[in-house]
Amino acid sequence: MKSYLSLVPLCARVRRRQNRMTVLCILIAVLLVTAIFSMADMAIRMETARVIEEHGHWHAMLKSLPEETADALTASPEVKAFARYDGLNFALAQDYTVDGKPCVVVGGDKAILTEIYDDLAEGHFPEARDEILLSRRAKTMLSVAVGDKITLHTPVGNFVYTISGFGADVTISTDANVVGAVLDWDAFVQLADAQGETPAPVWFVRFEDHTNARGVLDGWRQQYGLTDENLSENTALLGLTGFSSDSYVMGMYLVAAILFVLVLAAGVFMIAGSLNSQTAQRIQFFGMLRCIGASKAQIMRLVRWEALYWCKTAVPLGVGLGILLTWGLCALLRFGAGAEFVQIPLFAVSGVGIGSGVVVGVLTVLLSSLAPARRAARVSPLAAVAGAFAPDQKFGRPIRCLAGHIETALGIRHALSSLKNLLLMTGSFALSILLILSFSVLVQWVQLALNPLQPWAPDVFYGSPDNRCEISRNFAREVEELPFVKRAFGRMYQSLPAQYQGESGQIDLISYEDQQFQWAEEDLVAGSLEAVRAGAVRAGQGVLTVFDKSNTLQVGDRIQVGSHSLTVAGVLEDSPFSATDQPTVICSEALFGELTGQTGYAVLDVQLTAQATRENVEQLYSLAEGRYDFYDRLDLNRDTRNTYWAFCLFVYGFLGVITLITMIHTLNSISMSVSARARQYGAMRAVGMAPAQLKAMIFAEAATYTALGFAAGCGLGLPLHRFLYGQMITRYWGVAWQAPLSTIGGILALLVFTSLVAPFAPARRVCSLPVAQSVNEL
C-alpha cells in the first residue's frame, strides 16, 4: 500500500452493500439536476424557435427617429443585422390591387426576410427597382410563378413588376384574401413618392449572439434620450435570453432561481446525511487508522476521496439516465401533447444539462463530505479502539422519564443528542416539504394559463356579426338537441354608457344563464351570486364584475345605467372574455333584456361529446348558413388538454421523485443511525431491554425527526408558497392566496407513513442479532 488513499477502492468493495444507498442518493441527485436543466434547455430551444418563427429574430424596434440617429444606433458594434420597414395600404382603405385582389405593399432591406424574419420561401429578395416579391398565398391566389410579370394598380396609376420570389406571409398580413407585396427600399421610396406619401420607416435591430441586450438598450435610452415611443422590445425573445425588462418575466426568473436552490439544497442534505451516518458507523475504523500513524489531514482526505470515488459510478450513470429521461419526456410532449410541442428537439443533448449534472453531483458530494471528514479526523485513537463513543458525544444527566415509557424517552434523546445529525435529518424533511409546496403552485398556474381547460370552454361557437344580439333562441335549441352536442349556452352582449365611481364611461354588459352562474361560483373571489341570480329586476339589482388590472370596481360599488341602479355583488377571478379597457359587468338574462330590450344571443357556445367527429363539426358549420360566424376550437381544445396533462405529468412526476428521495433518504438515514448505535443497543439488550422496547425506541427516534421536520417545513414552506403564489398567480390573474390545506394533509400522511415504515427493517435486523454479536459490532 503506497498511501492511505489506496484503501479507497478496497473499502468500496468491502462495504459495497452499505455504500449502495449512498451511491443511489448521488445518482438520483445527478439524474434530477441533469433532467431538469436539459428539459429547461429543450424548452428554451423550442420557445426560441417558435418566437422567432412567429415574431421574428429582432430584439429592438426603433421608430419616429431622425435618420442620423437611427444610422448611429444601427452602426453599433453590438448590432448583427438591421432592416428598415414601412408599408402602404395596411388598413386596406385605398385602391391598391393586383388582378382585382386587395394588396398591401411594404418596403424594406433584404435582411427583413433573411435575418430579421426567416420568411423567404422561393426565389430571391427584390434587387432591382422593377422586381417584386409576393406572399405565398398570392402565388396560389393569382396562379403566378417566379419570373412572371404582374401589374400593381395604385390610386395614381399602374406599375409593372417582375416577380423575384415568394414569402413574407408573417411580415405582411394574415388575411388569406390579401395579396402581400415586398419591394426593395429604394423601389418602395420611389413608389411612395409617386403616391405623394412620405415613408416613415421603423428599424428592426438584431443584436450579436451573447450580447447583453439589456445593457445595450438601457445605454441607448440614456445616451439618446429614447422613450417607449421610440424604442420597442421583442419581449418574448428577450425574456428567453434573460434580458427582458418585463416585471412578470423577471418575477418568473426569481421563481426559477428559488426552485433551483431548493433542488440543490435537497441534494446536499440528502447526500450529507448519508455520509454523516456512514462516518458515525465507522468511528472505530478511523480510530485504528490513527493508531497506525494516519494524521488528521490524511483521514479527512480519505473521507473526501471515498465520496468522490462513489461519484465515479454514480455521476456517469445519473447523467446517462438523465439524458434518456429527457429524450423520453421530449418524445412524450412532441407526440402526445399536441401541436404546442412540435418544435421541441427529440434526441438533442444539452451541454448545460450534462454540465450541471456533473458539477452539481461532484460539488454536492464535496460539500457534503466536509463535515463528516472533520468528524472522522477528530476521532480519538484510544477511545475508538477501546469501543468508546463518538468524539462529539457528550454525557449529561440521567434521562428522567416524566411521562410515558423509558424507551420513548431514549428514542427522543437519541434523535436530539447529535445536533448535526438532527439538523441534517429535519433539514431533509423540511426541504422535501418546501419542494412539494413550491412545485404545487405550478399545477394551479397551468390550470389558469390554459383557458380552454375551464369548464365553460366551448369546442365550437357561433358569433353574431359586430356582436349584435341576433342569434335566436330557437337556433340555440336546435343546436342543443343534436345528439353529439353536450351543451349549448348563449350570452348577450352590449357596450353601454354608465356612471360608476363618480365618473362616466362605457361598460361591457354580458348576460349569463343558470349553467354559467354555476361555473362562476368556482371563480368567485369576493361577494356573492345570490343577488345576481335573482330573477326580479329592481333598483339595486346585483351584477358581477371580472377582475382586471384596469378594472377598479369592487363589491358594493353602484353602476348607473340609464334609470337603473346596479350594485356590484361579486368579483370573478376569470371569465371567457378577452380583457378590454372597459369594465366587464355580468347580469342575468332577465336584467339584460330589461336594460337593453334584446332577447337574442351575441355568442352561442357549444360543447361536444367525447365521441364528436369532424363530420359533426361540419354539420354544425352548415347550420349557420352564412348568417353567423363559425369558429372551430375542437382540435385546439384537445391539444390543450393533452398539454395540460403533460404539464401535470411533469409536475406530479417531479413531486413523486421528491417524495421518493425523501423516503429513500429517510430509510437510509434511519438504517445507518441504527447500525451506528448497534453496540449501544446490544448493551441495552444485555442489561434486560426487550426487543419490543428496542423497536419502540427506534420508532420514537424516527417520529421525532418527522415531527420536527414537518414543523420546520410548514413553518418555512407556507410563507414561500405564498410568495411564489403571489409572483406567479396573484400578480397576473389576481387570485388571492389560500393556505394549501389539502397539500399539507397529503404531506403529513406521507411523513407519518414514512416514519412508520422506515424503522421497521433496521429494528428487526438489530433485534435478530445475538447480543454478543451486537456488542462486538464494528
Side-chain angles (χ1 to χ4, degrees), residues 284-326:
Q284 196 167 23
F285 171 73
F286 296 123
M288 291 176 64
L289 290 180
R290 293 292 308 281
C291 287
I292 61 176
S295 66
K296 291 185 178 182
Q298 287 175 315
I299 296 297
M300 293 179 66
R301 194 178 302 117
L302 176 66
V303 173
R304 288 197 296 267
W305 273 98
E306 279 190 332
L308 289 175
Y309 189 82
W310 297 326
C311 291
K312 184 183 71 172
T313 302
V315 170
L317 278 176
V319 169
L321 292 175
I323 293 173
L324 293 177
L325 178 61
T326 302

Side-chain angles (χ1 to χ4, degrees), residues 122-340:
E122 181 182 350
H124 64 270
F125 190 83
E127 297 174 350
R129 294 196 176 187
D130 63 344
E131 289 186 331
I132 195 169
L133 182 142
L134 299 182
S135 59
R136 296 178 184 85
R137 293 183 297 271
K139 180 179 181 179
T140 304
M141 193 187 312
L142 303 176
S143 299
V144 291
V146 174
D148 291 351
K149 294 186 179 294
I150 64 163
T151 300
L152 173 64
H153 174 76
T154 74
V156 299
N158 296 332
F159 296 81
V160 178
Y161 294 99
T162 301
I163 299 175
S164 67
F166 296 97
D169 288 56
V170 176
T171 55
I172 298 178
S173 172
T174 58
D175 193 328
N177 298 316
V178 174
V179 175
V182 180
L183 296 174
D184 174 70
W185 182 252
D186 293 335
F188 176 79
V189 171
Q190 183 181 30
L191 178 64
D193 289 342
Q195 309 299 317
E197 300 280 352
T198 302
V202 297
W203 284 263
F204 288 99
V205 177
R206 175 182 175 182
F207 293 126
E208 293 282 358
D209 297 339
H210 311 299
T211 297
N212 182 357
R214 176 85 277 119
V216 175
L217 294 175
D218 291 342
W220 285 2
R221 285 190 172 93
Q222 183 176 4
Q223 182 177 356
Y224 294 94
L226 302 182
T227 65
D228 291 340
E229 296 180 358
N230 307 121
L231 178 61
S232 300
E233 300 177 2
N234 191 342
T235 305
L237 186 57
L238 288 174
L240 289 169
T241 55
F243 295 114
S244 175
S245 60
D246 184 83
S247 60
Y248 185 72
V249 174
M250 298 303 293
M252 296 300 284
Y253 291 155
L254 177 61
V255 170
I258 291 173
L259 296 180
F260 166 70
V261 170
L262 289 177
V263 171
L264 179 61
V268 171
F269 268 80
M270 177 178 63
I271 298 173
S274 181
L275 292 177
N276 193 62
S277 298
Q278 285 231 21
T279 303
Q281 191 176 350
R282 302 171 65 197
I283 290 296
Q284 196 167 23
F285 171 73
F286 296 123
M288 291 176 64
L289 290 180
R290 293 292 308 281
C291 287
I292 61 176
S295 66
K296 291 185 178 182
Q298 287 175 315
I299 296 297
M300 293 179 66
R301 194 178 302 117
L302 176 66
V303 173
R304 288 197 296 267
W305 273 98
E306 279 190 332
L308 289 175
Y309 189 82
W310 297 326
C311 291
K312 184 183 71 172
T313 302
V315 170
L317 278 176
V319 169
L321 292 175
I323 293 173
L324 293 177
L325 178 61
T326 302
W327 289 352
L329 293 175
C330 288
L332 177 66
L333 287 175
R334 185 161 181 174
F335 300 111
E340 182 97 10

Side-chain angles (χ1 to χ4, degrees), residues 30 54 75 108 123 134 150 179 181 191-192 266 295 310 328 369 416 427 505 527 594 625 671 728 737 753 765:
V30 173
E54 295 182 2
L134 299 182
I150 64 163
V179 175
L191 178 64
S295 66
W310 297 326
S369 64
L416 302 177
E594 180 70 18
E625 297 179 347
S671 177
M728 299 179 64
W737 177 82
F753 173 77
R765 185 177 68 247

